[in-house]
């Protein structure tokens, strides 16, 4: 496992899969400014790695993340705290713009900021006992790390209002039913199921995965006509690639394709 920055994030290169870890297990992976900076650097590194087809986001140790470090959150309101308020949005943007699909593995706990950390991911695997939700209205504020904008796009406006305004943890079965998460499993199996999910994605053509993710991410941001044109342009980019020919050749010949990202 390769430590990133100050060592509060790490990457394990299991090519074609990369596993990105929050690496502060002694503090239940509570997020400090430095951890968020390290995690941002980790995602930028895996996004630039041409040999990586999918990414798993995991918490080192028994817990995904306890959320934001409480001492940091208390200190940030002081005028001379010097805490960079852009570091969390920058991290979420780095996850969302990662070229490869990202699967989050949520075990034991992911409240508040940790919940918001999972929203830019493309898929979420949730442990049945995990405390997962946006609880900020119970703490004198509201979730403003992206949840009010990303949640409605995932679960619809009415469900998003329920989750944000009650401040209650999400029932795991309800999270699955409303498409907030994609798989439920025992908490002890979360990391294994998350990497298995990512491995399924790795079986597909890497250039196709990347362009499909770009097109899908644009779907709710652009009018239909311009979205369709963007989709067609991304499709044309792949027409002359080696993997495009390999995919059809393999299907016609009845064998498994050998994609190379070329």
């Amino acid at each position: 496992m390769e430590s990133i920055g100050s060592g509060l994030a790490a990457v394990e290169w299991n090519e074609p899969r990369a596993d990105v870890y929050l690496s502060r297990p002694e503090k239940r992976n509570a997020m400090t400014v430095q951890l968020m900076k390290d995690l941002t650097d980790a995602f930028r590194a895996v996004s630039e790695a041409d040999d990586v087809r999918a990414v798993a986001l995991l918490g080192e140790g028994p817990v995904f993340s306890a959320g934001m470090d409480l001492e940091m959150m208390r200190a940030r309101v002081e005028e001379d705290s010097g805490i960079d308020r852009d570091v969390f949005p920058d991290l979420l943007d780095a996850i969302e713009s990662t070229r490869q699909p990202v699967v989050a593995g949520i075990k034991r706990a992911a409240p508040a900021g940790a919940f918001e950390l999972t929203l830019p991911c493309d898929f979420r695997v949730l442990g049945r006992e995990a405390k997962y939700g946006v609880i900020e209205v119970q703490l004198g504020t509201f979730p403003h790390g992206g949840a009010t904008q990303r949640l409605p796009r995932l679960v619809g406006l009415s469900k998003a209002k329920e989750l944000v305004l009650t401040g209650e943890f999400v029932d795991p079965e309800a999270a699955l039913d409303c498409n907030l998460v994609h798989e439920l499993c025992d908490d002890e199996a979360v990391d294994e199921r998350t990497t298995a999910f990512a491995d399924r994605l790795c079986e597909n053509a890497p250039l196709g995965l990347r362009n499909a993710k770009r097109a899908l991410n644009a779907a709710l941001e652009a009018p239909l006509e311009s979205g369709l044109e963007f989709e067609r342009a991304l499709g044309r980019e792949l027409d002359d690639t080696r993997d495009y020919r390999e995919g059809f050749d393999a299907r016609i010949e009845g064998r498994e394709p050998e994609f190379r990202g070329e």
Side-chain angles (χ1 to χ4, degrees):
M1 190 181 298
E2 176 188 350
S3 292
I4 303 296
S6 69
L8 296 179
V11 178
E12 188 168 7
W13 303 95
N14 296 297
E15 294 174 357
R17 189 189 80 236
D19 300 335
V20 176
Y21 285 89
L22 291 83
S23 189
R24 198 187 179 208
E26 72 282 0
K27 295 293 186 179
R28 302 175 77 235
N29 295 319
M31 291 183 285
T32 62
V33 168
Q34 190 58 58
L35 186 152
M36 289 184 278
K37 288 181 177 179
D38 290 352
L39 206 55
T40 300
D41 290 343
F43 271 98
R44 288 173 177 164
V46 298
S47 183
E48 294 171 1
D50 290 333
D51 292 335
V52 172
R53 300 186 187 182
V55 183
L57 173 60
L58 306 167
E60 186 177 342
V63 175
F64 175 70
S65 174
M68 293 295 179
D69 183 272
L70 295 181
E71 293 296 331
M72 178 192 72
M73 294 302 291
R74 184 171 61 179
R76 73 197 290 264
V77 300
E78 303 296 334
E79 291 184 5
D80 60 350
S81 70
I83 292 176
D84 183 355
R85 291 174 177 264
D86 292 329
V87 66
F88 191 47
D90 288 347
L91 168 58
L92 301 186
D93 288 346
I95 295 173
E96 201 157 48
S97 61
T98 298
R99 293 188 299 167
Q100 305 89 342
V102 180
V103 188
I106 307 152
K107 58 190 179 185
R108 301 298 181 194
F115 178 97
E116 293 189 277
L117 180 67
T118 70
L119 297 184
C121 299
D122 302 291
F123 305 97
R124 286 159 289 280
V125 176
L126 179 64
R128 291 187 176 90
E129 304 299 323
K131 300 298 184 183
Y132 183 54
V134 272
I135 62 173
E136 283 88 340
V137 292
Q138 299 182 9
L139 301 173
T141 182
F142 75 98
H144 51 279
T148 65
Q149 305 305 304
R150 291 186 174 98
L151 259 181
R153 289 166 164 80
L154 293 173
V155 302
L157 181 59
S158 180
K159 188 65 177 180
K161 285 183 176 180
E162 176 190 335
L163 298 177
V164 171
L165 299 181
T166 65
E168 297 173 353
F169 290 118
V170 187
D171 176 78
E173 293 292 343
L176 185 64
D177 290 343
C178 73
N179 299 319
L180 176 59
V181 303
H182 301 81
E183 185 177 331
L184 291 181
C185 64
D186 293 339
D187 287 73
E188 294 80 4
V190 164
D191 287 4
E192 179 183 353
R193 295 304 308 153
T194 301
T195 54
F197 199 124
D199 284 338
R200 285 167 51 197
L201 301 172
C202 288
E203 296 173 2
N204 297 317
L207 298 179
L209 286 172
R210 293 173 191 174
N211 278 19
K213 178 175 175 175
R214 290 175 64 194
L216 288 163
N217 282 350
L220 297 180
E221 307 300 330
L224 179 60
E225 183 176 352
S226 57
L228 291 172
E229 177 56 36
F230 184 55
E231 178 191 75
R232 288 191 290 270
L234 292 175
R236 288 192 292 269
E237 287 183 4
L238 306 186
D239 284 349
D240 294 328
T241 62
R242 180 261 178 203
D243 280 359
Y244 181 93
R245 294 188 295 274
E246 169 64 11
F248 282 93
D249 287 347
R251 183 59 60 92
I252 292 169
E253 296 167 11
R255 58 177 175 82
E256 292 297 319
E258 297 180 4
F259 295 122
R260 299 178 185 170
E262 302 172 353

